[in-house]
Amino acid sequence: MEAFERLRSIQFDPIAPIGCNHDLVLQARVPGYRIGDWEKTAYEDRQIYDGWDKQASLVPFEGWPWRRIFHKWHRGHFQKIFEEFPEAVTAILKDLEERGPLMPKECGFQEKKAEWKSHWSSPNVTKRVLRALWHTGQVMTAGRRKGQHLYDLAERLVPAHLYRLPMMEDEDAVRELVAERHRAVGLLRFSAPMELWSYKVYAGPRAAAIERLIEMGELVPVDVEGIKAHATPQLLSNLDSPSPAPRVTFVAPLDQLLWDRKMVAHLFDFDYAWEIYIPEAKRRWGYYVLPVLFGDAMVARAEFWCRDGVLEVRSWHFEPGDPGPSFLIELERALQDLMAYCSAVKIVTGPGVDPIIRDLT
């Protein structure tokens, strides 16, 4: 929970060559973390929930009041579902009330629309209705079975003291969302990509929110060698703290550290692109490449794959410059930790991997 309190939310992504993005974010910060450990915090301890933030995310319940604005914004997008399938909405909500929590296939109402079938969407009306109810805050994820959502009514899962709160005014909710983004990253440009602001916190309201947060002392305008941004007082106080001993960290592709890629390039001289959706022939680095952080420098890019107890280093690309004599010692420790994280008992290297790395493994 300390990691969640610091990061405010962690982007959820189901693709799992070596655990999912949310697992990788946590392994970079929580000693001894293993793939899937987050599920107990979510579905047994009920301290975090599956929600919408920067895309689908794992979010502390503390943020439920201001993130309800997403339910309001999403209502327009899903209104057509509610209007076209009112009988399905009624039947599914009643089913959840009487029998929940349920997977989509366990609901009594079942219907498919063959014309809906595509690469990106399901022809299953029940699934579509449940997602519409999820995005508008009427149902939530109560658990998962083999990665699939188990749904239940939100009123059963949200802590009662939060569920009973009145809806926040839009201005207040937007200000909290903008503050959360800065708390998550520590340092952000006003013009950071729109997906970082969930596509809905537009420039005007964002500027007003930042101005108010500066007045409240929660943000500080800064200039980072020519790039203007806003920082949290906490980040600025950390700059005066003694630097810890450098360690090797494998950074998740959707980690907060990488949200503002232009700032990452400016700070670290490191141009990172997640090439998962780029055709293989056009990829420069690989399918699921993780930046390798050593101390305060991005020193390499690595692609890992773990299956059946074998951790494979599929590719490794050093950045220009010498990371220093202690790097390989720290890398060996980091690889051992990574093996424990993904329950690997063996590590191998793919063809073409740098001999230095191959000898180390």
Side-chain angles (χ1 to χ4, degrees):
M1 277 310 299
E2 289 181 24
F4 276 99
E5 287 162 9
R6 166 66 184 83
L7 298 175
R8 315 309 293 173
S9 71
I10 295 177
Q11 190 167 343
F12 188 100
D13 188 87
I15 300 169
I18 178 168
C20 300
N21 175 77
H22 42 284
D23 286 308
L24 287 164
V25 169
L26 289 166
Q27 67 79 34
R29 294 168 172 84
V30 181
Y33 179 86
R34 289 176 178 261
I35 291 172
D37 280 355
W38 65 272
E39 293 196 33
K40 180 180 183 297
T41 308
Y43 305 134
E44 295 181 31
D45 302 338
R46 299 289 179 201
Q47 293 180 296
I48 60 174
Y49 69 95
D50 295 69
W52 192 262
D53 192 52
K54 180 186 176 290
Q55 308 296 320
S57 299
L58 300 173
V59 187
F61 268 109
E62 173 195 359
W64 167 267
W66 51 84
R67 289 187 178 89
R68 287 180 66 192
I69 196 171
F70 291 128
H71 305 154
K72 177 180 176 180
W73 288 340
H74 290 164
R75 183 83 193 191
H77 180 75
F78 291 98
Q79 189 62 32
K80 188 176 180 181
I81 292 287
F82 296 133
E83 291 175 354
E84 291 187 3
F85 302 99
E87 73 289 349
V89 172
T90 300
I92 290 168
L93 286 175
K94 183 179 180 182
D95 225 3
L96 290 174
E97 182 179 5
E98 295 176 352
R99 301 172 49 227
L102 299 170
M103 294 180 69
K105 66 181 180 181
E106 296 171 333
C107 293
F109 181 93
Q110 295 292 331
E111 183 179 341
K112 292 186 177 181
K113 295 284 186 182
E115 63 271 25
W116 284 1
K117 189 172 184 179
S118 72
H119 178 69
W120 291 105
S121 60
S122 168
N124 189 309
V125 174
T126 304
K127 284 186 177 181
R128 290 278 193 102
V129 169
L130 280 166
R131 292 310 289 172
L133 292 168
W134 187 91
H135 277 282
T136 54
Q138 298 174 71
V139 307
M140 298 179 70
T141 306
R144 288 175 183 263
R145 291 180 188 160
K146 296 183 179 180
Q148 299 297 307
H149 289 263
L150 189 65
Y151 294 99
D152 203 355
L153 300 177
E155 62 195 70
R156 289 180 180 156
L157 301 177
V158 181
H161 71 284
L162 295 176
Y163 191 79
R164 290 194 298 263
L165 288 174
M167 190 81 173
M168 291 179 71
E169 296 292 330
D170 286 9
E171 181 180 346
D172 295 332
V174 167
R175 186 176 64 250
E176 285 298 331
L177 289 176
V178 171
E180 288 282 80
R181 289 297 191 272
H182 286 84
R183 293 171 191 141
V185 182
L187 178 74
L188 276 181
R189 296 177 303 120
F190 178 82
S191 57
M194 276 303 296
E195 65 266 22
L196 194 152
W197 309 103
S198 298
Y199 298 104
K200 284 289 189 177
V201 183
Y202 300 118
R206 192 189 325 148
I210 289 175
E211 182 178 358
R212 179 66 182 126
L213 289 166
I214 293 171
E215 292 173 358
M216 295 167 65
E218 293 191 30
L219 289 182
V220 179
V222 297
D223 185 294
V224 187
E225 297 180 340
I227 288 189
K228 296 187 182 300
H230 296 90
T232 62
Q234 180 62 49
L235 179 132
L236 296 177
S237 68
N238 287 345
L239 296 179
D240 295 326
S241 302
S243 297
R247 67 185 184 96
V248 171
T249 304
F250 303 113
V251 183
L254 302 174
D255 192 288
Q256 271 83 333
L257 182 61
L258 301 175
W259 279 2
D260 188 353
R261 305 253 172 98
K262 184 174 180 179
M263 183 61 87
V264 170
H266 183 65
L267 289 172
F268 295 100
D269 193 23
F270 186 81
D271 185 14
Y272 179 69
W274 195 30
E275 298 180 320
I276 191 168
Y277 297 115
I278 296 175
E280 184 174 0
K282 296 183 178 180
R283 290 177 192 144
R284 184 179 179 189
W285 305 109
Y287 172 71
Y288 203 98
V289 171
L290 310 182
V292 181
L293 181 68
F294 181 52
D296 59 3
M298 297 288 192
V299 299
R301 304 162 197 256
E303 183 174 14
F304 299 100
W305 196 268
C306 187
R307 290 292 184 274
D308 302 321
V310 179
L311 174 61
E312 179 186 0
V313 186
R314 290 197 161 182
S315 67
W316 185 280
H317 305 276
F318 276 111
E319 289 292 288
D322 182 0
S326 63
F327 172 72
L328 291 180
I329 297 172
E330 294 303 318
L331 175 59
E332 186 172 10
R333 292 175 184 168
L335 289 172
Q336 290 172 353
D337 289 343
L338 195 66
M339 289 179 68
Y341 150 80
C342 63
S343 300
V345 295
K346 180 181 179 182
I347 184 169
V348 299
T349 54
V353 171
D354 192 298
I356 294 176
I357 305 303
R358 190 182 306 121
D359 292 345
L360 190 68
T361 59

